[in-house]
């Protein structure tokens, strides 16, 4: 009689990530989790920002030619909504063709299901045409994903604006908002609302609507979060979507040493530098893989770090400062001021950094991966969100979970210095560390046998085997 493990080893799972760092990482971590549970893994990916197969020798990789024009590819940073809209259009037919070939492959290893990023809006129709079970992976947290359903309402109320002004011609007849809070959706405020940074705002609402509604026809949803953090939101998802929900996160904590899935080369010298620092003394500063800042803000960040007199590890991604290739815009004398206590790198191995005993705080853009990774290691936050779900993550971190300090006013060196000192050596920082330590303990428990994520993962495995 066939055992449970033998049955899993005879089944293949297809995964299709979005080709952006913050989306690729959790999908590859999920693939590794499912591989450890006995499934064979195939990663479908675009030629744009393709992962390195040598980093994952146990997976099969299949590429599709997304065929983006140079102009469309260039919108990656300038207009991410236009980029994602073009990517969805270009990938639909190549994906369908590849899927047909994969499904006609080795009958000894049948394909159990397809798991894809929720931003792919054509997946449901394609999967249905092949009668293939499809599971969606939203890469935000659960609470933020639920808020996306309210975007049309928020737009009509005047809480959401285009980049230029609330009365932009592209969004006619929007009321001007005179309030700070959004009473219909606590704990959010008007400044937490995503700014519609695209040449065609209708593309934004179309993309969000598809992202939210398509999973209702899926076979289920997987979350890189855990029940103890978002129990109410998880219950709401069961009601709203009507399909099985699996909160099995944090994905990266299933393995003591997480293999790199970064699309950007990592500078390991940051770890050897941290090895020389005192426990919990260093502020880690990183604003993600896509965020851009202007020269004025960059200088305020630099002076805030210098004036704080606290040790820091600062990631400055090449090209992330407008008008600069890398460090040209640092103020005169900066290196001399911080030479004994500052380290600047182009990109860091973030999971290793946050787990390092020298790290005492994380100044972050509040992308969900970074926020969850910090929670998992018990590292308190300084929150400086740029766009999209980062603003909502920051609000939850500071006002709901109370594990961070929000830089929500104008970026100014005095405010930055004050926030850094408060987090690293002040009374407020001590209280925040106590709260995030409790959340870290909940992370550790949820992954152990009979913990919420442990049980949810095994329910997911049984569910996939039922297809």
């Amino acid at each position: 009689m066939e055992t449970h493990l033998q049955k899993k080893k005879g089944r293949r799972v297809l995964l299709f990530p979005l080709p952006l760092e913050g989306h690729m990482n959790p999908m590859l971590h999920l693939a590794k989790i499912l591989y450890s549970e006995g499934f064979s893994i195939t990663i479908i990916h675009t030629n744009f920002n393709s992962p390195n197969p040598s980093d994952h020798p146990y997976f099969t990789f299949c590429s599709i030619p997304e065929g983006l024009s140079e102009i469309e590819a260039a919108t990656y940073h300038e207009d991410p909504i236009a980029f994602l809209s073009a990517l969805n259009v270009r990938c639909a037919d190549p994906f369908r063709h590849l899927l047909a070939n994969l499904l006609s492959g080795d009958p000894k290893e049948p394909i159990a299901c397809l798991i894809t990023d929720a931003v792919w809006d054509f997946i449901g129709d394609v999967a249905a045409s092949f009668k293939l079970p499809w599971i969606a992976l939203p890469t935000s947290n659960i609470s933020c994903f639920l808020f996306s359903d309210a975007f049309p309402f928020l737009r009509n109320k005047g809480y959401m604006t285009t980049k230029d002004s609330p009365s932009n011609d592209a969004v006619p007849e929007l009321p001007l908002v005179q309030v700070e809070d959004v009473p219909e959706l606590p704990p959010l405020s008007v400044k937490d609302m995503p700014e519609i940074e695209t040449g065609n705002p209708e593309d934004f609402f179309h993309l969000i609507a598809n992202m939210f509604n398509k999973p209702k026809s899926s076979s289920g949803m997987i979350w890189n979060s855990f029940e103890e953090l978002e129990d109410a939101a998880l219950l709401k998802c069961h009601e709203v979507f009507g399909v099985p929900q699996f909160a099995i996160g944090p994905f990266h904590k299933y393995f003591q040493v997480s293999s790199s899935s970064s699309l950007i080369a990592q500078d390991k010298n940051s770890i050897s530098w941290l090895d020389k620092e005192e426990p919990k003394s260093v502020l880690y500063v990183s604003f993600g893989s896509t965020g851009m800042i202007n020269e004025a803000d960059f200088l305020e960040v630099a002076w805030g770090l210098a004036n704080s007199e606290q040790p820091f590890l600062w990631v400055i991604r090449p090209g992330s400062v407008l008008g600069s290739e890398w460090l040209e815009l640092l103020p005169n004398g900066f290196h001399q001021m911080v030479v004994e206590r500052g380290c600047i790198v182009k990109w860091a191995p973030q999971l290793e950094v946050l787990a390092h005993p020298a790290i005492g705080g994380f100044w972050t853009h509040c992308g969900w991966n970074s926020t969850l990774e910090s929670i998992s290691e018990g590292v308190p936050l300084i929150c400086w969100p740029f766009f999209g779900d980062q603003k909502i993550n920051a609000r939850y971190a500071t006002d709901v979970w109370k594990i961070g300090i929000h830089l929500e006013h104008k970026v100014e060196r005095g405010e930055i210095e004050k926030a850094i000192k408060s987090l690293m050596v002040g009374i407020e920082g001590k209280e925040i560390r106590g709260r995030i330590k409790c959340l870290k303990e909940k992370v550790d428990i949820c992954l152990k046998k009979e913990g919420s994520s442990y049980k949810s993962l095994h329910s997911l495995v049984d569910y996939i085997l039922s297809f």
Side-chain angles (χ1 to χ4, degrees):
M1 182 148 177
E2 188 179 50
T3 68
H4 202 55
L5 183 58
Q6 287 171 332
K7 187 176 181 182
K8 283 188 281 188
K9 285 186 174 178
R11 308 295 292 280
R12 180 168 292 276
V13 177
L14 310 179
L15 298 99
F16 185 27
L18 203 70
L20 302 177
E21 179 93 9
H23 294 251
M24 183 76 73
N25 284 345
M27 186 69 80
L28 290 175
H29 284 309
L30 175 61
K32 189 177 178 183
I33 292 169
L34 294 175
Y35 177 81
S36 72
E37 290 294 324
F39 294 103
S40 297
I41 299 296
T42 292
I43 304 294
I44 301 171
H45 62 89
T46 61
N47 289 331
F48 178 88
N49 268 0
S50 60
N52 186 352
S54 65
D55 290 335
H56 308 277
Y58 303 111
F59 301 165
T60 299
F61 287 82
C62 297
S63 65
I64 60 171
E66 76 289 333
L68 289 173
S69 68
E70 288 187 16
I71 294 176
E72 289 169 333
T75 63
Y76 172 37
H77 287 296
E78 299 165 8
D79 190 335
I81 299 302
F83 171 80
L84 293 174
S85 298
L87 200 63
N88 268 293
V89 171
R90 297 287 184 268
C91 288
D93 286 341
F95 177 82
R96 182 186 292 274
H97 180 72
L98 176 62
L99 188 58
N101 289 339
L102 291 174
L103 289 170
S104 62
D106 186 0
K108 295 180 182 178
E109 197 174 57
I111 294 171
C113 70
L114 170 66
I115 300 174
T116 79
D117 195 294
V119 175
W120 293 120
D121 65 12
F122 56 82
I123 295 298
D125 294 336
V126 174
S129 69
F130 289 104
K131 295 182 171 56
L132 179 66
W134 161 58
I135 299 176
L137 171 65
T139 54
S140 69
N141 65 7
I142 308 172
S143 303
C144 183
F145 192 82
L146 286 170
F147 279 129
S148 64
D149 188 41
F151 283 0
F153 163 79
L154 296 170
R155 176 195 191 185
N156 292 333
K157 292 282 288 187
Y159 296 138
M160 296 179 69
T161 66
T162 59
K163 188 173 184 178
D164 296 328
S165 76
S167 56
N168 188 292
D169 292 339
V171 190
E173 300 179 1
L174 289 180
L176 291 174
V177 174
Q178 302 297 329
V179 298
E180 291 187 1
D181 294 328
V182 179
E184 298 88 352
L185 291 172
L188 301 184
S189 66
V190 172
K191 55 191 167 188
D192 299 326
M193 297 297 101
E195 192 174 63
I196 307 169
E197 300 189 40
T198 179
N200 185 357
E202 294 306 323
D203 286 348
F204 172 85
F205 288 101
H206 177 77
L207 191 74
I208 296 299
N210 279 335
M211 181 188 74
F212 187 86
N213 290 313
K214 293 284 185 178
K216 293 176 181 177
S217 61
S218 72
S219 299
M221 301 176 74
I222 300 172
W223 299 98
N224 187 17
S225 188
F226 58 104
E227 186 176 322
E228 289 78 0
L229 187 69
E230 299 193 272
D231 54 346
L234 187 60
L235 285 172
K236 184 70 174 177
C237 273
H238 281 284
E239 298 173 11
V240 171
F241 293 98
V243 298
Q245 304 289 319
F246 303 97
I248 69 171
F251 293 172
H252 71 283
K253 292 297 286 183
Y254 279 82
F255 311 97
Q256 287 192 338
V257 179
S258 294
S259 62
S260 171
S261 55
S262 177
L263 299 174
I264 306 173
Q266 299 174 338
D267 186 342
K268 296 283 187 175
N269 290 326
S270 53
I271 301 299
S272 58
W273 183 84
L274 286 171
D275 289 341
K276 302 171 187 175
E277 300 302 311
E278 295 294 321
K280 299 193 182 304
S281 66
V282 177
L283 177 69
Y284 172 50
V285 184
S286 179
F287 305 132
S289 59
T290 59
M292 307 287 287
I293 63 176
N294 59 39
E295 180 180 355
D297 287 348
F298 179 67
L299 291 175
E300 294 303 312
V301 170
W303 283 119
L305 287 168
N307 296 339
S308 74
E309 301 181 344
Q310 303 301 309
F312 63 86
L313 168 61
W314 186 8
V315 172
I316 303 178
R317 197 182 74 251
S320 63
V321 182
L322 297 173
S324 169
E325 290 186 15
W326 193 33
L327 304 181
E328 308 92 274
L329 297 179
L330 281 173
N332 292 331
F334 179 80
H335 288 291
Q336 290 79 1
M337 286 184 65
V338 304
V339 66
E340 296 296 330
R341 58 179 174 85
C343 177
I344 298 176
V345 297
K346 293 179 178 179
W347 196 247
Q350 183 160 292
L351 294 176
E352 291 181 60
V353 168
L354 289 172
H356 197 284
I359 294 297
F362 182 13
W363 183 2
T364 172
H365 64 306
C366 284
W368 179 237
N369 292 331
S370 293
T371 304
L372 186 60
E373 289 161 11
S374 208
I375 290 172
S376 300
E377 301 302 335
V379 177
L381 305 170
I382 294 176
C383 304
W384 187 32
F386 289 12
F387 53 77
D389 68 329
Q390 298 167 14
K391 295 181 178 182
I392 298 176
N393 295 338
R395 183 60 59 198
Y396 265 76
T398 57
D399 289 26
V400 178
W401 305 320
K402 300 184 184 302
I403 54 172
I405 295 172
H406 204 317
L407 282 175
E408 54 187 322
H409 305 296
K410 183 180 179 181
V411 178
E412 188 271 329
R413 64 192 69 181
E415 290 295 316
I416 292 169
E417 176 187 349
K418 179 182 175 183
I420 293 173
K421 288 181 175 178
S422 181
L423 187 78
M424 300 299 292
V425 295
I427 295 175
E428 184 178 8
K430 183 178 180 180
E431 294 171 348
I432 288 172
R433 272 190 288 279
R435 286 190 288 269
I436 202 165
K437 181 182 177 182
C438 290
L439 281 183
K440 180 188 183 302
E441 291 170 354
K442 290 180 179 180
V443 167
D444 296 338
I445 292 171
C446 81
L447 295 169
K448 291 180 179 178
K449 190 173 183 180
E450 300 308 313
S452 62
S453 293
Y454 175 94
K455 290 191 290 187
S456 189
L457 172 61
H458 286 272
S459 294
L460 173 62
V461 168
D462 290 339
Y463 187 55
I464 292 174
L465 290 174
S466 72
F467 294 140

